[in-house]
Amino acid sequence: MKFIVHTYGCQMNVRDSEAVAALLAAAGHEKAANEDEAEMVIINSCTVRDKAEQKAIGKSGNMIAAKRNGSKRLVGLMGCAVKRLGEDVFKLLPGLDFAVGPRRFGAIPHLVERCLAGERRILETAGDDEVPQGLDAHEQQGFKAFVTVLLGCDNRCSYCIVPDVRGHEFSRPGREVAAEVGALAAHGVKEVCLLGQSVLRYGRRNAAWFASDPPSLYKEPFPRLLEMLDKTQGLERIRFTSAHPGGCTDELVQAFATMPRVCRHLHLPVQSGSDRILKAMGRGYARAEYLAAIAKLRRFDPEFALTTDVIVGYPGETEEDFEATRSLMEEAQFDNAFIFKYSPRPGTRSAALPDDVSKEEKERRNQVLLADQEKRGLARNERLVGTVREVMVEGPSLRNAARWSGRDGGNRIVVFAPPRALRPGETVQVRITEAHPQILIGEALA
Ligand code: 5AD
Ligand code: SF4
């Protein structure tokens, strides 16, 4: 059957969708060129905020409505919203053919068989400790790949539904990750991004290393994983996301400082700059500890790129709390920031608290932080004018096909005129001539 997968949400979902596409292809199905041609549509859903969930449910509803009379098109929903909703998913979407939770996506080819045999409204969700089948299935792809190293999350931040839907932490054995990365690199992948909700907790809940694994300079499991992957033939860049300040240990800093493939960028969600709110959120660090963690990174490399997530309008967030977030963002000098308006999620601890910051006030705080970040992003990028960045080429720029774009080690977007015929995945040196809040412009050196 010809299929298409639509993905909402984070990189984890992007990766799970890719694995599903690879598993379906292995089962003899074929990717559709577009939605009209698809005989099967799979929607991968997110539930981290209400709006995110609504988008995936809305899209599924449209796909079901578009089933022409008598058409055999299958519509399936996968991902986090399925686990949250359980059987209720069929109340919202009565015409759905199958629904499958985040740790059960490997079952999709089998569920499709069951649907083809006439079954409908199949629901499969996994237990909190299940390890999905097909975690290492990849499509034939470009020069970048995601690799899941840590499933689930055990942090239990007060507002976050992720642990409820993605289950307990499970770290894949280091040797299994190394084999997957090695195979990707052998197929031309130059950059991998290691994924985990709180990826620096790799190897904490279960052992990822065995006595028979090669010895390491590192005691901590995540730096040890980096050390092993840094030896991969043909691989040029290693990234990972998301991080928690608790994992910013001296060994991690040493890994950044000494391993040439490990990119000097960290996505380190701070969520708030107010100690009172951080405590209410159960984040496990105070403002000063967060700032100390990033100071360690910027000490050995002042250009170390830092990006973050912030929530505005958490229950009880006062103007003073908000101003503390503003000042923290200025002190931290983030290169980029994603701002989210608090959304109560059923079953989380904070959902029991009154959602007492008005919609308008959340919007205002959101806009203030975005405007601050726009200025800060520009100022930070201006400091890079005149420097030469090592840029991994992605392809023609979306806005102007005569120019190409790529990313530097800090994940900054760099746009330049191609000096010769280029291939995606190649590395070029680019001298920066112009700064914008979100991109750098430069000229490629011969
Ligand atoms: N409301 C708003 N934002 C949230 N996030 C997680 N849960 C919520 C919520 N209930 C944000 C956090 C997280 C990002 C992925 O989504 O900032 O880092
Ligand atoms: Fe949510 Fe905290 Fe886990 Fe991030 S670390 S996914 S915020 S529980």
Side-chain angles (χ1 to χ4, degrees), residues 147-322:
V147 174
T148 301
V149 301
L150 175 68
L151 307 170
C153 185
D154 287 331
N155 272 356
R156 293 271 161 202
C157 306
S158 64
Y159 51 84
C160 189
I161 196 166
V162 169
D164 293 338
V165 292
R166 281 197 173 262
H168 285 306
E169 287 176 5
F170 173 77
S171 299
R172 296 176 63 204
R175 53 171 77 158
E176 201 177 300
V177 175
E180 184 173 332
V181 171
L184 288 166
H187 282 92
V189 168
K190 303 271 180 240
E191 174 179 318
V192 291
C193 182
L194 311 177
L195 299 179
Q197 290 296 337
S198 194
V199 73
L200 303 180
R201 284 188 46 81
Y202 177 79
R204 298 277 178 194
R205 184 164 178 268
N206 64 290
W209 301 101
F210 304 101
S212 56
D213 283 324
S216 171
L217 289 171
Y218 293 88
K219 289 194 189 70
E220 294 168 9
F222 188 72
R224 183 170 179 180
L225 181 67
L226 293 176
E227 179 194 40
M228 185 176 237
L229 301 182
D230 194 51
K231 299 192 175 89
T232 312
Q233 276 283 328
L235 189 69
E236 290 175 24
R237 285 182 172 179
I238 302 170
R239 302 185 186 280
F240 45 92
T241 199
S242 280
H244 183 281
C248 293
T249 59
D250 291 345
E251 284 205 347
L252 183 75
V253 175
Q254 192 187 336
F256 273 121
T258 59
M259 295 179 197
R261 293 179 178 83
V262 176
C263 292
R264 294 181 175 183
H265 166 226
L266 209 52
H267 183 64
L268 197 63
V270 66
Q271 313 300 3
S272 171
S274 154
D275 279 337
R276 207 177 64 82
I277 298 291
L278 286 171
K279 194 156 183 225
M281 287 176 163
R283 290 288 294 170
Y285 55 83
R287 173 192 178 101
E289 289 167 303
Y290 183 94
L291 289 169
I294 68 177
K296 278 204 286 197
L297 299 167
R298 289 249 171 88
R299 206 171 299 137
F300 84 88
D301 182 357
E303 280 167 22
F304 193 102
L306 283 169
T307 56
T308 200
D309 291 342
V310 169
I311 297 176
V312 290
Y314 184 82
E317 186 187 68
T318 62
E319 186 61 23
E320 197 186 339
D321 294 318
F322 170 66

Side-chain angles (χ1 to χ4, degrees), residues 21-41:
L23 293 172
L24 285 171
H29 302 285
E30 193 188 331
K31 231 175 178 172
N34 54 53
E35 201 175 277
D36 291 337
E37 192 187 284
E39 298 154 290
M40 160 163 59
V41 181

